[in-house]
Each structure stands twice: as C-alpha cells, then as structure tokens.
Amino acid sequence: MKKDSTASASEAAAEARPASAKGSAPARKTASAKSPAPGKKAASAKKAAAGRPGAESRTALVRRARRINRELAEVYPYAHPELDFENPFQLVVATVLSAQTTDLRVNQTTPALFAKYPTPEDLAAAVPEEVEEILRPTGFFRAKTRSVIGLSKMLAEEFGGEVPGRLEDLVRLPGVGRKTAFVVLGNAFGRPGITVDTHFQRLVRRWKWTQETDPDKIEAAVGALFPKSDWTDLSHHVVWHGRRICHARKPACGACPVAPLCPAYGEGETDPEKAQKLLKYEKGGFPGQRLNPPQAYLDAGGRPAPPLGAG
C-alpha cells in the first residue's frame, strides 16, 4: 500500500506513535538524519513507556493501528492463509485439524485425507479408525476425527454437501467456532472477518490495541479500529508477523519493520544482527508452511514446505 505523501516515514511514525511508545524504538531513516541503532536505550524506553499508561487518545490509537497494518501490508504483500486448500470443504476441515498443531503438519497430512475422502459424503461415510490413522500426526486425532466426520455428515445431510457461507450456519458444524468460521468466510467466500488465534492475541496486546483476553472481545475491540473491508487481510498480516518476527518468547525487535510504532519494543532482541537470526520462514530463508503456496509467495522468494516424511 502507498504511504502518505505529505510526510516521511519517520515523521509519520512519530506522529502515529502514542506518548507511551515515543522513544521506545528507533525511527526510520530519513534523508536528513540517520536512525539510532536498534537496541540502544531499550530498557529505559520500556520503563518510560510503562510509566505513562493510558496516554494515547482513541484517535491516536486508530491512526497508529492502521499505520501498523499499512506497514505490514508492504512487508507481507503476499500474505495468505497458510493452510493448503482447493475448495471450502478442504479449508474448513484443514482449519479444524490445525488446532493444537502447526499449519505445516496439517498441510503434510491432508493430501492423504482428501485423496481418500474428497467430498463431505465420502468423509461422512468413512470408518473412524481409518481416518484416525491418517490424522494421527496432527495430535488429538480421535477428537479431530469425530469433528471432521461429524461436520461432513452435517454438510451432507443439511447443506446438500456444500459448505455454508453464513457465520450462524458454520458455527453449528462440529469443531467449528468463530475463529474457524471467519477463516472460511474470509478466504473461501471473500466475506470479511477477524481471525483471533494465539499470534493475533499476542501481537494486538503488545501493540496495546486492546487489553482484552477473551477472543470474542478482542475481535470486537480490534474490529472497531479498522474498516470491515480490512479485516481479513489484517488478520493475515498480524498472524504472519507473529510467526515470522514477533515471536512469543524471543521477538526479533531489532528486525521489526513496525518497531517505531510498538509500545513493547525492547521485550525481545534489539541487536539487528542477533534479531536477524531469530527470523522464521521466508524472512529467515526457510521453507514456509504450505506445500502448494500461491504463486505470489513463490515470486517473492518463498519456498514451499516438504511433504510428510521428507527429510
């Protein structure tokens, strides 16, 4: 996305940064001045930020949140769902299977599942023990088997074998909650939704977009900061950033493109060279999570993940 033409990147970051975040991270370089090295005075910046809670106005919060999303859109222009799927049925099943495991593990497992059970009718009639054996690598395979067979039966019996495109219908399916429903609505039907997974929760709290802990309340609070049309892409941007840079235990603050806008700058490694070594997936030169990623991801230098059983 294009940045405002009336201000340089550092001026825009300074303008959008709340009082609690000012001085907590280096500004970006401009033509007239060099940025301070990431990591300098991080501890004092954190202390200063912690000492001024609630100093950011609602208007400033909205502006800062939207600027972060614009910055992330430039960093991850190819952001997409990291589950392999070819149709809504495959997406809803894969999303249910992704609970308590990685998208990579799901992507390595679903090819065998969909090859044997390509339609809801096929999976609805499956022998549970055979499905369990396929799903074993994803963990909690017995519960997941009950869910995917159960939702397949409901799709076959109540929806003509088609995945419904309404939230109220999707959440009736076994194993499908609001998070899964919004993944399906946003990525299979093009209907905006916010996906509040663990990465999303962590980052929006670090950025002080909200202090809520309940996923539904987080969804409402963050959704109020953005136009509805932004919700699906926003979810991708935040989740991608959480997986690649803003990790739970060791966030790579020194390699973060939104450091000047982040009140939590300094919680992780601020040295640029050390932070670079913490990056994951394509930012760190490693394969992504999809076996069959979109072409835009490959064009940007991303590498597909290996199939199950590969070295």
Side-chain angles (χ1 to χ4, degrees):
M1 294 184 183
K2 294 182 179 179
K3 297 183 181 178
D4 297 340
S5 59
T6 58
S8 68
S10 61
E11 290 169 339
E15 177 188 14
R17 196 182 310 145
S20 61
K22 288 182 180 179
S24 62
R28 294 173 178 242
K29 291 184 178 180
T30 68
S32 59
K34 291 184 177 180
S35 306
K40 288 186 177 180
K41 301 181 180 178
S44 60
K46 278 186 66 181
K47 184 176 180 180
R52 291 195 297 272
E56 186 175 32
S57 70
R58 176 71 180 183
T59 299
L61 170 61
V62 170
R63 294 174 66 188
R64 180 170 63 87
R66 294 185 183 186
R67 191 170 296 279
I68 287 176
N69 188 41
R70 290 197 295 271
E71 294 285 349
L72 294 182
E74 293 188 357
V75 177
Y76 310 109
Y78 43 78
H80 56 265
E82 294 196 88
L83 291 167
D84 282 323
F85 69 98
E86 296 179 356
N87 54 56
F89 172 62
Q90 290 187 1
L91 180 57
V92 71
V93 169
T95 307
V96 169
L97 297 180
S98 69
Q100 303 299 315
T101 190
T102 64
D103 287 355
L104 171 58
R105 181 59 69 186
V106 174
N107 292 337
Q108 292 172 326
T109 304
T110 50
L113 180 70
F114 295 138
K116 189 168 185 178
Y117 310 107
T119 69
E121 291 80 3
D122 295 323
L123 191 50
V127 176
E129 290 76 14
E130 294 178 1
V131 176
E132 288 178 0
E133 195 57 35
I134 295 174
L135 300 186
R136 185 179 294 272
T138 69
F140 302 95
F141 57 92
R142 291 188 178 90
K144 291 179 180 180
T145 294
R146 289 194 295 270
S147 291
V148 298
I149 289 179
L151 73 83
S152 296
K153 286 181 178 179
M154 184 173 286
L155 291 177
E157 295 171 1
E158 298 189 27
F159 298 100
E162 300 291 334
V163 175
R166 298 195 313 163
L167 176 65
E168 54 266 40
D169 291 330
L170 284 168
V171 295
R172 292 178 53 216
L173 300 174
V176 176
R178 287 179 68 87
K179 182 185 81 172
T180 296
F182 281 131
V183 170
V184 175
L185 290 173
N187 299 290
F189 295 98
R191 296 175 184 173
I194 292 178
T195 303
V196 183
D197 71 353
T198 55
H199 300 288
F200 194 96
Q201 292 185 50
R202 179 176 73 254
L203 268 63
V204 300
R205 286 173 58 82
R206 277 181 177 165
W207 292 333
K208 298 192 183 299
W209 289 3
T210 179
Q211 291 302 312
E212 298 290 354
T213 56
D214 178 76
D216 290 350
K217 293 180 178 179
I218 292 173
E219 175 195 325
V222 174
L225 302 176
F226 295 88
K228 191 173 183 179
S229 58
D230 288 352
W231 288 356
T232 299
D233 285 342
L234 168 70
S235 299
H236 291 324
H237 298 154
V238 175
V239 171
W240 272 54
H241 193 59
R243 285 177 169 169
R244 286 152 177 77
I245 296 178
C246 194
H247 311 135
R249 300 193 179 205
K250 285 189 176 181
C253 294
C256 180
V258 297
L261 302 168
C262 180
Y265 176 81
E267 287 188 6
E269 180 57 65
T270 57
D271 180 85
E273 292 185 4
K274 292 180 180 179
Q276 184 69 30
K277 296 177 181 178
L278 298 175
L279 303 186
K280 297 181 181 178
Y281 305 118
E282 80 286 347
K283 294 299 175 187
F286 304 107
Q289 299 214 332
R290 290 187 68 161
L291 278 69
N292 299 295
Q295 189 60 45
Y297 178 73
L298 299 175
D299 291 344
R303 289 192 287 152
L308 190 65

